[in-house]
Amino acid sequence: MVVLNCGNKRYIRLWLVLILLSSALLLIWRNLQQAQMLSRAPELGSLIGVPPDLPADSYEEYVELPGIARREDSPRTRDLQLLLKCRNRSLRFQRLQHGDYWLLQNLVIGRKSRHVGCAETVTYTTNGDFTFFDNLETVVSRWRAPVSFAIHAPGYDMNTALDAIRYVRNCLPGSEVIKDWVTFHVYFPNRHMPEYVPYGEHRALGQPYACTLANGTQVPPPYALVPRSESYKARANLSYPINVGRNIARQAATTHFVFACDIELYPSLGFVDQFLDMVARNHSVLALDPKQPRRVYPLPVFEVESGAPVPKDKAELLALFGSQRAQVFHLKLCPTCHMIPGQKEWLNQTSREGERLHVFSHAVRRNKFRAWEPFYVSDNTEPFFDERVTWEGQSNKRIQNYAMCLLGYEYHVLSPAFLVHSPGIKKFTKSDSVRLKLAKDMTKFIKDKIEPEYRVLFGRNSACKT
């Protein structure tokens, strides 16, 4: 009897081992089958929206299958990813709180932006409300890489913002490029809630947008039909929280390098590949050693007169400059705000065909550059923009640059790339005189409140100014 029991126990243990082995083999077989299915269906990577078996309101819980492969990385991308040690991340829709604002992050995602790797490209991060949409096509057609666009849409401005998104994705000559690259985020104050908020991309886009009238004429853009004075923002006497939008767009970016820029500033052509090629062939342009001062990479900024063509490259820019149809940005409003180190030499150095992007000069934001407000490429680790400052109060970029000065950042200016503001020379106007009172109050707030905080957080240096 004892012998029989021992035999039974050995028999049971053997069966348990066989069952475990069979389960393991079954799991391995299922994984191989799934891998083969995914390899035969690369088109799944381009699908957008909710899987058919999920209810519409479950979109924010849906995460794209991790097994869907990216397109094959180039040798440059593989080299840069090893150099930068960055991690690929996915874009997905989320409803978030951002201070006193509700945020619909990644409400509509660019088709190509959805799958880019962290070292593959550079993200242009920007902000605005529906009145700035007329700049988007020019920016994207020149950038040809991910654009992270944060849109302020309080109250009924949400409706116009959603119409504007549908319009630019369907009705413009550059709509396909916008669909490829622009990811839209929408935010609004919790005290100025819209009556309707879309629960994801499928709700935001709805049915295809009608771009023509019954007589065949083009439908005018919705952002051109509503005067600024009739917007909810204007009627409610709200200020524009420019730094909230800047931070939202930056935080949503999934690439290692970002370019935090204003949407009215247009880049010279081919910049993204030029910048990544520069880094790939000369790693020393980066501050890879933690002991080195941190650095960012500004582009010189210019403005051209109304009616002038927006220059594509430095040769065209210098031609406009020589005919006095172009000048340094804000020259008549703040001559030192966009002056760059070696500016005269930069302007006197003609651009050769095929010239590679390179670091032209570098400086810190002190002494004669203490008022500098550069727009630059960075690794997105510099301080965020102070959200207590509004567009109307001005000084919205200077505070961040003050923090960077205290931290010892270096500014490595690039050539031959540049930025150009949408055509029209900036001059002092009556509306600017209204802002002067707000700017005066903001300056006092910065001196009394923000600067003391920053000296505690980032250190002291009497050469650094806001």
Side-chain angles (χ1 to χ4, degrees):
M1 190 71 176
V2 173
V3 174
L4 183 60
N5 286 339
C6 291
N8 285 341
K9 288 179 182 179
R10 285 196 296 271
Y11 183 75
I12 291 169
R13 284 198 297 268
L14 179 61
W15 270 106
L16 287 173
V17 170
L18 290 173
I19 291 170
L20 289 173
L21 285 172
S22 300
S23 299
L25 289 171
L26 178 61
L27 286 172
I28 293 171
W29 179 81
R30 288 179 61 188
N31 287 340
L32 287 172
Q33 290 292 103
Q34 289 178 354
Q36 289 175 358
M37 289 175 64
L38 289 173
S39 67
R40 289 196 301 268
E43 67 275 8
L44 289 174
S46 62
L47 290 178
I48 295 175
V50 187
D53 57 336
L54 284 181
D57 289 350
S58 298
Y59 182 76
E60 62 272 21
E61 267 66 57
Y62 171 63
V63 179
E64 193 175 359
L65 291 173
I68 295 177
R70 300 178 187 275
R71 62 180 180 274
E72 185 178 353
D73 288 335
S74 67
R76 183 185 72 186
T77 297
R78 291 194 293 270
D79 176 53
L80 289 177
Q81 188 157 6
L82 287 173
L83 176 72
L84 303 171
K85 298 180 175 61
C86 62
R87 181 173 60 89
N88 293 334
R89 295 182 291 123
S90 298
L91 292 167
R92 66 186 183 93
F93 171 66
Q94 296 185 85
R95 287 175 285 196
L96 304 171
Q97 280 185 303
H98 186 103
D100 294 331
Y101 297 86
W102 280 107
L103 165 63
L104 307 178
Q105 187 182 68
N106 302 319
L107 177 62
V108 176
I109 300 174
R111 296 178 298 195
K112 291 184 178 178
S113 295
R114 186 183 291 272
H115 299 296
V116 296
C118 61
E120 184 178 342
T121 186
V122 183
T123 302
Y124 181 109
T125 69
T126 193
N127 66 97
D129 56 26
F130 69 83
T131 64
F132 288 88
F133 269 71
D134 57 337
N135 298 284
L136 187 61
E137 184 179 20
T138 303
V139 168
V140 183
S141 63
R142 286 170 162 256
W143 190 252
R144 299 277 174 166
V147 173
S148 177
F149 185 18
I151 305 160
H152 182 232
Y156 58 73
D157 287 351
M158 171 67 77
N159 300 327
T160 312
L162 293 175
D163 284 343
I165 292 172
R166 298 183 190 109
Y167 187 91
V168 298
R169 285 175 52 91
N170 291 281
C171 305
L172 299 175
S175 285
E176 290 302 309
V177 182
I178 291 173
K179 282 182 181 179
D180 282 342
W181 294 118
V182 183
T183 296
F184 297 90
H185 325 284
V186 179
Y187 69 102
F188 43 87
N190 54 30
R191 294 185 180 181
H192 298 273
M193 294 287 294
E195 290 185 2
Y196 165 76
V197 171
Y199 299 155
E201 187 172 86
H202 61 299
R203 293 282 182 87
L205 298 180
Q207 298 300 316
Y209 195 89
C211 299
T212 55
L213 300 173
N215 61 6
T217 59
Q218 178 85 6
V219 171
Y223 42 86
L225 296 177
V226 182
R228 289 176 186 263
S229 59
E230 297 298 318
S231 68
Y232 181 95
K233 171 184 168 294
R235 289 292 187 90
N237 197 29
L238 299 180
S239 57
Y240 176 54
I242 185 169
N243 283 350
V244 175
R246 283 171 170 157
N247 289 341
I248 285 171
R250 274 182 58 186
Q251 288 171 311
T254 59
T255 55
H256 179 85
F257 292 115
V258 301
F259 184 51
C261 196
D262 289 351
I263 197 168
E264 294 177 293
L265 296 177
Y266 308 152
S268 52
L269 297 188
F271 173 74
V272 172
D273 279 329
Q274 292 166 9
F275 180 82
L276 295 174
D277 285 344
M278 177 187 72
V279 174
R281 72 173 177 266
N282 182 9
H283 298 172
S284 66
V285 300
L286 302 178
L288 298 174
D289 187 340
K291 296 178 182 178
Q292 291 177 282
R294 305 176 203 188
R295 62 182 66 166
V296 293
Y297 307 89
L299 275 68
V301 190
F302 299 89
E303 55 190 357
V304 297
E305 64 180 29
S306 296
V310 180
K312 299 187 294 292
D313 53 35
K314 189 174 180 180
E316 291 188 6
L317 172 69
L318 294 181
L320 289 170
F321 209 91
S323 62
Q324 298 184 339
R325 302 184 70 193
Q327 63 183 31
V328 174
F329 187 45
H330 279 175
L331 184 65
K332 299 184 186 303
L333 298 177
C334 182
T336 59
C337 288
H338 294 281
M339 177 178 64
I340 64 167
Q343 180 170 291
K344 185 177 180 180
E345 291 78 10
W346 195 98
L347 289 167
N348 287 335
Q349 187 180 81
T350 57
S351 179
R352 303 179 304 277
E353 185 177 353
E355 179 182 3
R356 289 177 167 182
L357 189 73
H358 61 279
V359 173
F360 174 80
S361 62
H362 70 275
V364 293
R365 191 179 177 273
R366 299 173 195 162
N367 304 317
K368 72 176 188 177
F369 299 109
R370 63 186 179 275
W372 194 10
E373 298 181 351
F375 293 89
Y376 52 76
V377 176
S378 74
D379 61 5
N380 212 1
T381 59
E382 74 276 15
F384 280 97
F385 297 93
D386 198 300
E387 297 185 358
R388 293 169 289 184
V389 183
T390 63
W391 177 83
E392 292 80 3
Q394 301 182 339
S395 298
N396 45 71
K397 281 177 61 66
R398 289 189 181 189
I399 301 168
Q400 190 225 23
N401 283 280
Y402 174 64
M404 293 169 68
C405 179
L406 295 175
L407 290 170
Y409 269 81
E410 293 180 348
Y411 296 79
H412 290 232
V413 180
L414 301 176
S415 180
F418 57 88
L419 296 169
V420 177
H421 194 275
S422 60
I425 301 294
K426 291 285 185 177
K427 299 177 181 178
F428 188 82
T429 64
K430 185 177 181 180
S431 63
D432 292 319
S433 63
V434 175
R435 290 180 67 191
L436 285 179
K437 173 64 169 60
L438 298 173
K440 183 178 179 181
D441 294 341
M442 182 56 69
T443 298
K444 185 176 187 306
F445 176 72
I446 290 169
K447 294 294 182 184
D448 295 345
K449 177 66 174 171
I450 295 181
E451 281 193 18
E453 292 178 2
Y454 277 38
R455 286 194 290 269
V456 172
L457 290 168
F458 303 115
R460 295 175 177 268
N461 189 326
S462 59
C464 297
K465 306 293 182 183
T466 49

